[in-house]
Amino acid sequence: MDDLLSEFLTETTESLDVVDMELIKFEQEPNNADILNNIFRLVHTIKGTCGFLGLPRLEALAHAAETLMGEFRDGVPVTANAVTLILESIDQIKVILADLEANEVEPEGSDSELISKLEVMAAGGSVETEPPEEAPVKEDQAADAAAIKVTEREVKPGEVSLDELERAFQEAESPEEASVKEDQAADAAAIKVTEREVKSGEVSLDDLERAFQEAEGPEMEINPVASDPEKPAEPEAEPEIVAEALAEEAPAKSEPVASAVESAKPAEKKESLKNQSIRVNVDTLEHLITMVSELVLTRNQLLEMERQQGDGIFKVPLQRLSNVTGELQEGIMKTRMQPIGNAWQKLPRIVRDLSKDLDKKIELVMKGADTELDRQVLELIKDPLTHMVRNSADHGLETTQGRIDADKSEVGEILLSAYHEGGHIIIEIADDGRGLNTEKLKAKIILNGLVTEAEADQLTDAQIHRYVFNAGLSTAENVTSVSGRGVGMDVVRSNIELIGGTVDLKSVEGVGTTFFIKIPLTLAIVSALIVESSGEKFALPQLSVVELVRAHRDSEHRIEMIKDTAVLRLRNKLLPLVHLSTLLELERKRANGAEIIDLASERAALAEAELETADQQENAPSADASSDEAVASNEEAGHQHEDVENGFIVVTQVGPQNFGIVVDQVFHTEEIVVKPMSTMLRDISMFSGNTILGDGSVILIVDPNGLAQAVSSEISDEEDNKKDTSVSETAQDQPISLLLFKVAGGEPKAVPLSLITRLEEIKVSDIEYANGGYLVQYRGKLMPLVFVDPDGKPKEEGTQALLVFADNERTMGIAVDEIVDVVEEKLDIEIASEREGTLGSAVIQGKAAEILDIGYYLPQAFADWFQRQEFDQNKFCKKILLVDDSAFFRNMLTPVLKAAGYAVTAVESAGHALALCEEGVMFDIIVSDIEMPDINGFEFAEKILAGGSWSETPIIALSSHCSPAALERGRQAGFHDYVAKFDREGLIDVLGQSHKVVGEAA
Amino acid sequence: MSNSPDSSTEFMTMKIGGQLFGLAINRVQDVFSPDKITKVPLSDHDISGVLNLRGRIVTVIDMRRRLELPDRKSDHGCMAVGIESGNESFGLLIDSVGEVLHLKDENLESNPANLDACWTLVSGGVHRLEGELLVVLDVDRVLAISKESLAA
């Protein structure tokens, strides 16, 4: 394609998008001269360029639209009809452009109908209030317009100069427009008069304007000769009027010319701004990105080699190469970034049209349009976004009458906002409409056979709402042209998931619905955590990784089983766990080798376990998990037991869902270039792609969304329930079953019924006292008893009521005096408790009751386990003091070190560290940054070594500068080792070595 | 493959489970010895995994499994034929590679009616050689059925 033409197409398409936006703004603020001028200028440029390139059809259309806008500029009131008409012509221009792009020539055909409409509108703008009477006049005018058109067409071939002229004139004039507006007001009035006169004489304003422009010609000193021969035809049509018009216009004209000089200045400024950006072909960029990706891979490979066999000589240049590559990658990625507003450009127009079609008043508010994201991602979310906004307008918002009835403001609002959040972009689409009707939706999903009625009753509102993302569901009662056919949201979801994003919604009936879309910033290169499960390595995108936890049966983080579900206690919350090997069915391979006897005993144990738990209600059992438990209770499978409790847990967040992925090993993070899966393997939802690692092997990239979906049946119930009680306001209103009981005559206490495995009543005589605690023989095992009151003792005689809790294969009983009742109440803890063992107080059945924290009592029953844990911690968990002024590094290194089995204390300055030293806190190793304010790392090391309790503690320097000089300085200061800040693996190695040294010394 | 009587096709021959197969040589990109195959969990039974072949990620299909033959005892010494289809690279895992043969198209016989259904799907006909039969592998069909089976 001709360069000029392709340039024109790109530029014009961009301009038209802006015009679209601006016009809608203009419709709302008809008095904003700046907007109008901007539109006018854009359309004018398009028109000018079309003339220059010899595109008559486009030019004629642009011209007609421009004329109508010229009317607005001259003070004719802006009507919705007029704007619609202009929008229509802009659409038509777009159609022609598309054709032009495909065929490189203007398509055949005529737009005379549209043009005449525009011209009629331009002429009749001021008398629009009585359109019926105008009809005959309009027709006449149309004829006139047609005549003018002919003239215009004739004029064109020789008439490039007129366009130039016109443009020059417009450009000179437009900046001035605002400033002389007042002056012009008077003129405008005059023009109005003229206009009226013209109308009676049946000449469109078009003529007037043209005459006006021609008159301008000589003043602008651009040779108008070429246009002269053809011109007479036109002015002659209504000579007096032209004259009159000229007379009226005379004062206004001199001013624009005068101000042309002034306007030159801003134009210059604009020019210099323009020169700072250049147009680069997307292919060129794509190529650059591919090359940088390869460079990243090569760097990774080099780093890997250096790690494995490096003798240190390449360390420094490699570090530098690594940094440069990193920056290069970042820079290149920036070239792909575009403001999300680009994807929103069309939305105001769509909403406007919808608001007309649906007869609803809708206001679209856009926030954070300058949030940047990868253009590839941008392209991919455009359609889903458009669809969702349409949906909000159509389904979400009520009709105007509906809103009035619901006591809402007449104008419905759709709020579109975008912002960054931890390497993701969050886009929210919120409407203040009717919200989802949960009951209706529920009925629908039952009707569609997605769930059974019984299942549906178990679902929370949020879970039911999520069904709108399923295919074939629409909440709209009537199918409209806009939406309601029940296709769409599922497509939206799959499109978003395709780019590694997630979509969720929150809806409150009567208040509105908000959709949340979370998408990654870029697709090409992602940072991934390399993990191992059952001997196979996988990459997990770092973006969804929240933290790493090392679980060990002897550490505070231990994988525990609640019935069949593996969970982890993490900061007072229970995190559901899934084993990667289970999800990927890696275990099965292993199990194939297992002996038949084992299987048989497993089954027996399983059956037993099921019998035991038969009286529990909830939770769909997972076959694998339960067999795990069964194995666990099988003493012969002791080693497997360990596996169940140990491992690394990658805490992952997918949308609102949190869960832990249990893996066997965590290695390092690596920047990986995502390559799509082969078509043959693309249907496996667990993987989002694959890549080649530094060592040349292919690794599969696990898709956290896929995992989340696969486990959602296990997890989401739990997850939602948890959220319901703790986070979401609406869900707090849901009653839960609570068991009320009394202890030592105090206030009633309560425990959520779902936590209790069983209620028992035992004879007091069965209670035995051994090993410092009370025990009872229960189902063939010893079950420890715990008293809520720390000094509690069993009664002298009679029976003792017990609440039995089963946690993993352990059971314990909490002794209570009296079981009062089971009530359905909202659990709304009003006063949080300071006291251990109590969550707080809540009003239950009109009375205050204490809610018991079972998590506090469970360990009490297993005091032996507690002691062992502490003992082990002292022995195996090396304590590390991490000193770094950057919160970022503290946050980054702490989990890495924790995962490597260290207990980490992180402080933000050497001062804080020295304070700890004075307090006598001991550490096994100190890891310190060098560049810190106040006391730097060297001084810190010198201070420590100068004497005091830490003088024997090895210190490792952590620095982003690894120059030989710095190394030497570090050695002098007394650092045992020097590690580059980004070399996490190196750090772990060094730590391993130093505490070995210490161990030997000790 | 053209149908004119004199035309011939060059076949690369290979052994899979003792049977001689031929693959149109113009479809063969490489012959390589597969190394470090990464298994793909949850994938089809007949996909051995993916590997890195000079910077490209190749999906490896185990032809023994594809042809419903018993698994080889050890993967040691087996070879892979690299083919391209629709911008993607695939590797067909075979037992061994043989010579290259020029075979006249007119001698190609259609599949015997009683041929195993699974084989009929991937076979483009049979050549009678001296002493043994050569089954012509139709690459596109080999790749296509795996897609179908996934879709199913």
Side-chain angles (χ1 to χ4, degrees), chain A residues 404-513:
Chain A
I404 295 168
D405 292 347
D407 220 9
K408 288 181 179 180
S409 101
E410 221 174 275
V411 182
E413 187 184 271
I414 299 177
L415 174 68
L416 196 60
S417 51
Y419 52 91
H420 285 268
E421 190 184 277
H424 279 95
I425 286 210
I426 317 279
I427 305 171
E428 288 181 22
I429 299 144
D431 65 62
D432 61 349
R434 58 171 81 96
L436 291 173
N437 184 331
T438 312
E439 286 310 312
K440 213 154 102 188
L441 195 58
K442 199 175 183 177
K444 200 129 187 185
I445 57 177
I446 295 170
L447 190 73
N448 285 19
L450 292 167
V451 292
T452 65
E453 214 154 317
E455 279 166 349
D457 286 337
Q458 298 285 316
L459 294 174
T460 62
D461 284 3
Q463 283 171 320
I464 292 171
H465 291 164
R466 271 179 214 136
Y467 275 96
V468 299
F469 295 115
N470 276 53
L473 272 184
S474 171
T475 48
E477 277 157 76
N478 303 316
V479 173
T480 68
S481 65
V482 185
S483 41
R485 294 197 187 82
V487 287
M489 290 316 273
D490 60 317
V491 180
V492 165
R493 184 175 74 170
S494 59
N495 276 359
I496 289 168
E497 281 174 355
L498 207 64
I499 56 173
T502 53
V503 58
D504 198 12
L505 84 165
K506 199 172 115 186
S507 178
V508 181
E509 196 166 353
V511 179
T513 311

Side-chain angles (χ1 to χ4, degrees), chain A residues 536 538 583-586 589 675 677-681 683-684 686-687 690-692 695-698 700, chain B residues 36 38-44 47 50-52 55-57 59 61 88 90 142-143 146-147 150-151:
Chain A
E536 307 272 342
F538 297 97
L583 283 181
L584 300 181
E585 295 173 13
L586 297 168
K589 273 184 217 157
K675 304 196 174 191
M677 291 294 271
S678 150
T679 40
M680 268 184 207
L681 304 169
D683 293 333
I684 306 171
M686 296 289 177
F687 303 112
N690 45 17
T691 193
I692 298 171
D695 66 358
S697 62
V698 178
L700 298 161
Chain B
K36 280 212 254 185
T38 304
K39 291 195 181 75
V40 182
L42 309 174
S43 61
D44 267 16
I47 292 178
V50 286
L51 60 78
N52 169 14
R56 291 201 71 162
I57 295 178
T59 310
I61 299 162
E88 285 186 67
F90 296 94
V142 168
L143 299 181
S146 89
K147 281 171 200 161
L150 255 172

